[in-house]
Amino acid sequence: MSVKITGVKEMLQALDNRFGDKAVKRISDRALKAGAQVFVRELKQQFQRFKDTGASVDEITISEPMIIGGVRTIKVHWRGPKDRYRIIHLNEWGTVQNPNPKGKGAIARALRNAEKAYRLAVLEAVRRGL
């Protein structure tokens, strides 16, 4: 099953014509940041279930908005003194010696659980910006 959404380019062009490029960028950046905060909250809840020292939760970081592949994007990643970014994928997918760790699928669950709240946060931020 697939869904095709039409008119997005026209809508963005109309907003750009009405408010200007800088205003649209500012509004979209605020919306992305609001959505990222919602996702990070859910991600931290998922990580609480199997935390040991809490370093994986403490090192969750949100990047500044950037353009990747022509799309405005924010990255949620792990940065900090304990270098948890090195082992996050092991918790998410498992290893040969430990195929089912406690945290297996936590990021995927957080994505799934936060999807509706993320969209609502982005929509509300855009409404506030307009």
Side-chain angles (χ1 to χ4, degrees), residues 104-125:
K104 187 170 185 176
I107 298 171
R109 272 192 311 276
L111 279 170
R112 196 172 45 249
N113 293 345
E115 186 175 0
K116 189 173 182 179
Y118 171 85
R119 289 183 183 181
L120 289 174
V122 168
L123 181 64
E124 183 59 34

Side-chain angles (χ1 to χ4, degrees), residues 49-70:
R49 295 179 183 175
F50 63 93
K51 81 174 187 174
D52 184 22
T53 63
S56 294
V57 174
D58 294 338
E59 292 187 1
I60 295 174
T61 308
I62 300 172
S63 73
E64 286 299 314
M66 64 188 94
I67 296 176
I68 298 177

Side-chain angles (χ1 to χ4, degrees), residues 73-99:
T73 306
I74 283 187
K75 288 185 179 183
V76 175
H77 57 281
W78 284 260
R79 289 285 177 238
K82 296 192 178 184
D83 291 333
R84 298 305 284 189
Y85 72 93
R86 296 178 190 269
I87 64 165
I88 293 300
H89 69 283
L90 299 177
N91 280 336
E92 186 67 12
W93 299 103
T95 63
V96 173
Q97 283 82 20
N98 186 9

Side-chain angles (χ1 to χ4, degrees), residues 26-46:
R26 187 185 74 246
I27 292 168
S28 67
D29 286 354
R30 286 183 184 164
L32 284 171
K33 287 178 182 179
Q37 288 295 332
V38 168
F39 173 66
V40 166
R41 225 172 315 155
E42 177 62 30
L43 188 61
K44 286 181 179 184
Q45 284 180 347
Q46 292 297 324

